[in-house]
Amino acid sequence: MRIYCFYGTGIPTERSYHYQQPSGWSPDSLKASAHPLSAQEISGAPGEPGKNQSFAATPPSHDWKIQTGLHDPESELLSGIQMSPDGDLTVPLLSLGGLCRGGWLGKRLNPAGLKVLTREYLHKPCSLLTDSRGGPAASAHVDILGNEELLTDVLRVATGAGDLVEERIESRIDQITAQIDWENPDGWT
């Protein structure tokens, strides 16, 4: 048995956000947003909202916003959004390949010691005029489902010829995962 990790890479991807704390917000305001239901609401007719629930959550009325004024190209912070230089346009590189190139290579997260094969597909889109989906070598989050090389590799694995699939790393995932102590539950070194 083997674990195969196939994913697209080579596209700047949002990684985190810098939010502006609304005035009047506090952790206690979250607790105040849940209120007990009355006995009638709990024991309402079958199918009614609130049936067999003891609390109802009222959405907080606070208006959280991204701090769009924060901008530092050197650290890849663009309009309050921290970018990862690599990913598949939706998922950042660490989330795509972290376990494949780090966590599952050790005993703590892969106690059976299954072999892990990682194959990255570098995003190579064609002209939008040629193919609005990105073409046969696109590797964006959803477009990768039409990537001819990926489809060939999936068919190889599905037909028992997975040994023909070779590992390929196009990104800096190995440098990133080397900074994490995967055998220590606390993580970062």
Side-chain angles (χ1 to χ4, degrees):
M1 188 177 282
R2 180 180 291 177
I3 299 171
Y4 291 92
C5 296
F6 296 156
Y7 56 88
T9 187
I11 310 171
T13 303
E14 295 177 1
R15 189 183 77 200
S16 62
Y17 307 91
H18 294 264
Y19 290 100
Q20 182 175 344
Q21 182 174 314
S23 61
W25 183 88
S26 74
D28 292 334
S29 65
L30 294 177
K31 294 176 191 169
S33 69
H35 61 280
L37 293 172
S38 68
Q40 181 180 6
E41 290 172 305
I42 294 171
S43 61
E48 284 185 8
K51 175 75 175 148
N52 297 323
Q53 295 176 0
S54 58
F55 285 88
T58 303
S61 61
H62 303 293
D63 191 16
W64 288 87
K65 295 179 182 173
I66 294 176
Q67 292 181 345
T68 57
L70 294 179
H71 194 73
D72 181 18
E74 275 187 41
S75 67
E76 299 177 42
L77 176 62
L78 307 173
S79 299
I81 300 170
Q82 187 65 55
M83 299 296 289
S84 170
D86 207 347
D88 74 354
L89 192 64
T90 301
V91 181
L93 182 61
L94 179 57
S95 296
L96 290 167
L99 286 172
C100 307
R101 300 300 292 173
W104 291 335
L105 300 180
K107 285 289 183 194
R108 187 169 79 86
L109 298 177
N110 183 2
L114 297 177
K115 184 176 178 185
V116 180
L117 185 138
T118 304
R119 187 163 175 92
E120 295 181 335
Y121 302 87
L122 189 60
H123 185 59
K124 298 175 192 169
C126 66
S127 167
L128 183 63
L129 298 174
T130 306
D131 184 343
S132 62
R133 189 202 51 78
S139 295
H141 187 69
V142 173
D143 296 341
I144 196 168
L145 295 174
N147 182 302
E148 292 175 358
E149 193 177 9
L150 169 76
L151 294 172
T152 300
D153 291 338
V154 169
L155 287 172
R156 285 182 175 143
V157 172
T159 58
D163 291 340
L164 297 175
V165 178
E166 295 180 8
E167 191 158 86
R168 180 177 63 204
I169 303 300
E170 303 278 359
S171 69
R172 55 189 191 93
I173 189 64
D174 290 335
Q175 293 87 349
I176 295 170
T177 57
Q179 297 176 46
I180 302 171
D181 180 0
W182 296 95
E183 296 301 310
N184 177 356
D186 292 331
W188 297 95
T189 57

